[in-house]
Amino acid sequence: MPFLTLQSGRKLAYEEYGDPAGVPLFYFHGWPGSRLQGELFHPSGVKHRLRIIACDRPGLGKSDFQPGRQLLDWPPLMTELADHLQAEKFHVLGVSGGGPYVLAMAHAMPERLLSAGVICGAPPLKLVGTQELMWTYKLALWGQRHTPLLLGPGLAVAARFLGLPRDHSATRLFLKQQCERDRLAMSDAELFRIMTSAGRESLLSGARAVSTDGNIYSSDWGIDLADVHFPLRYWHGARDNNIPPALVERFVKRLPHATLTILPEEGHYSLPMLCGGQIVAELLGKNGGTET
């Protein structure tokens, strides 16, 4: 696993997938998540000759913690990483909690982007509100504000849950609550391994790191949406229980050059796990591509 030592002296951990000689695509993982989630798009990288670079956000996984980190601290880190990898121009793709980081790139450094895509992305909660959010996310946000001492034990339990096999009763109960397409996605042993290992790596980083990362979603992002002129493409599942599409619709309408595609049968997990290949092909302006 390679590291980049940043100008600050902190280390940024990343992994590469796809075609090592391909066009760079920076992948931004969800929350909780880590660089390991980038493996979901390895087949798309091979097929479309993309060099997929997925890094742990500061404090998560193997990357060093950055105190007081805000959303707009991200583009300077990616500038350092892109320069280190000699990637003058590149695509950016974010899933779920990685979505805001795509927006930050489109806002701060559009001149270096080839395309920008977001799959089941998180909207700015300060702008759209939290009323329709899934109860577990509401609980996490409430807990961060009111019972921070319980966050550590709670994350430890969540990490243990992500280590359970698919046939465990707790896992089966969780899957029973998901839509049909999400259950189908999680029934694939390899995709299940990637998602759970990426989440577990993040949760084991500790309460401070996961909390700092999570707080960004309800913070002021420092971006005037009307000033984001780089074309952004959003894909969302109509049956997404984690991030209701209505929240994303309200958000995307405020972006002058963004499009939103709602897939009627897809959920939060099926969109990147089962439709990721097709979405990458669409982002690149290519036809077909049904691989994961």
Side-chain angles (χ1 to χ4, degrees):
M1 176 187 58
F3 288 91
L4 168 64
T5 300
L6 300 164
Q7 293 178 6
S8 65
R10 293 186 294 268
K11 288 184 178 180
L12 193 71
Y14 64 95
E15 299 280 359
E16 295 199 33
Y17 302 98
D19 183 349
V23 177
L25 180 151
F26 285 84
Y27 174 79
F28 306 149
H29 63 75
W31 183 87
S34 66
R35 70 195 183 283
L36 303 179
Q37 204 179 80
E39 189 179 353
L40 283 176
F41 294 88
H42 175 73
S44 293
V46 172
K47 177 172 182 176
H48 299 297
R49 299 193 63 188
L50 294 170
R51 179 189 181 188
I52 296 175
I53 301 132
C55 65
D56 290 331
R57 291 195 285 274
L60 302 180
K62 305 300 182 185
S63 288
D64 290 341
F65 184 73
Q66 179 182 347
R69 179 167 59 89
Q70 298 180 354
L71 181 60
L72 288 179
D73 292 329
W74 184 247
L77 298 184
M78 290 301 96
T79 297
E80 287 195 54
L81 182 58
D83 290 347
H84 171 71
L85 297 173
Q86 297 182 322
E88 180 59 31
K89 297 261 187 179
F90 45 85
H91 304 275
V92 288
L93 178 67
V95 167
S96 189
Y101 295 87
V102 172
L103 176 69
M105 297 290 283
H107 165 74
M109 48 193 300
E111 70 284 351
R112 296 191 68 169
L113 301 188
L114 296 171
S115 72
V118 178
I119 301 173
C120 59
L125 298 179
K126 195 175 182 69
L127 178 67
V128 302
T130 61
Q131 185 174 354
E132 294 144 292
L133 273 185
M134 188 172 66
W135 70 269
T136 51
Y137 283 1
K138 288 183 181 178
L139 181 62
L141 290 169
W142 184 89
Q144 284 180 288
R145 291 193 300 269
H146 301 288
T147 57
L149 291 178
L150 296 180
L151 186 59
L155 293 177
V157 171
R160 186 172 181 181
F161 173 78
L162 288 174
L164 297 175
R166 283 182 301 147
D167 59 356
H168 191 278
S169 59
T171 307
R172 291 202 306 269
L173 178 61
F174 169 77
L175 293 177
K176 188 177 181 180
Q177 299 170 3
Q178 309 308 312
C179 71
E180 181 179 353
R181 288 284 288 173
D182 279 348
R183 292 197 299 271
L184 179 62
M186 290 295 190
S187 71
D188 185 296
E190 197 56 12
L191 297 179
F192 181 86
R193 175 192 64 79
I194 293 169
M195 289 296 284
T196 54
S197 62
R200 191 165 60 252
E201 172 105 344
S202 169
L203 291 172
L204 291 174
S205 303
R208 181 178 66 158
V210 177
S211 178
T212 297
D213 199 50
N215 283 337
I216 283 176
Y217 303 113
S218 57
S219 71
D220 184 343
W221 289 0
I223 298 172
D224 186 340
L225 301 183
D227 289 339
V228 180
H229 298 293
F230 189 86
L232 286 152
R233 295 197 63 180
Y234 286 79
W235 289 265
H236 215 84
R239 303 191 65 184
D240 189 325
N241 292 325
N242 293 35
I243 303 173
L247 296 182
V248 180
E249 288 175 336
R250 293 204 293 268
F251 159 53
V252 172
K253 283 178 181 177
R254 294 172 177 252
L255 291 164
H257 300 285
T259 60
L260 172 62
T261 300
I262 302 288
L263 285 78
E265 299 301 321
E266 304 302 334
H268 191 74
Y269 303 103
S270 68
L271 206 60
M273 296 170 76
L274 299 180
C275 306
Q278 177 63 35
I279 288 173
V280 168
E282 291 180 13
L283 182 65
L284 301 175
K286 299 181 179 182
N287 295 321
T290 57
E291 83 288 352
T292 303

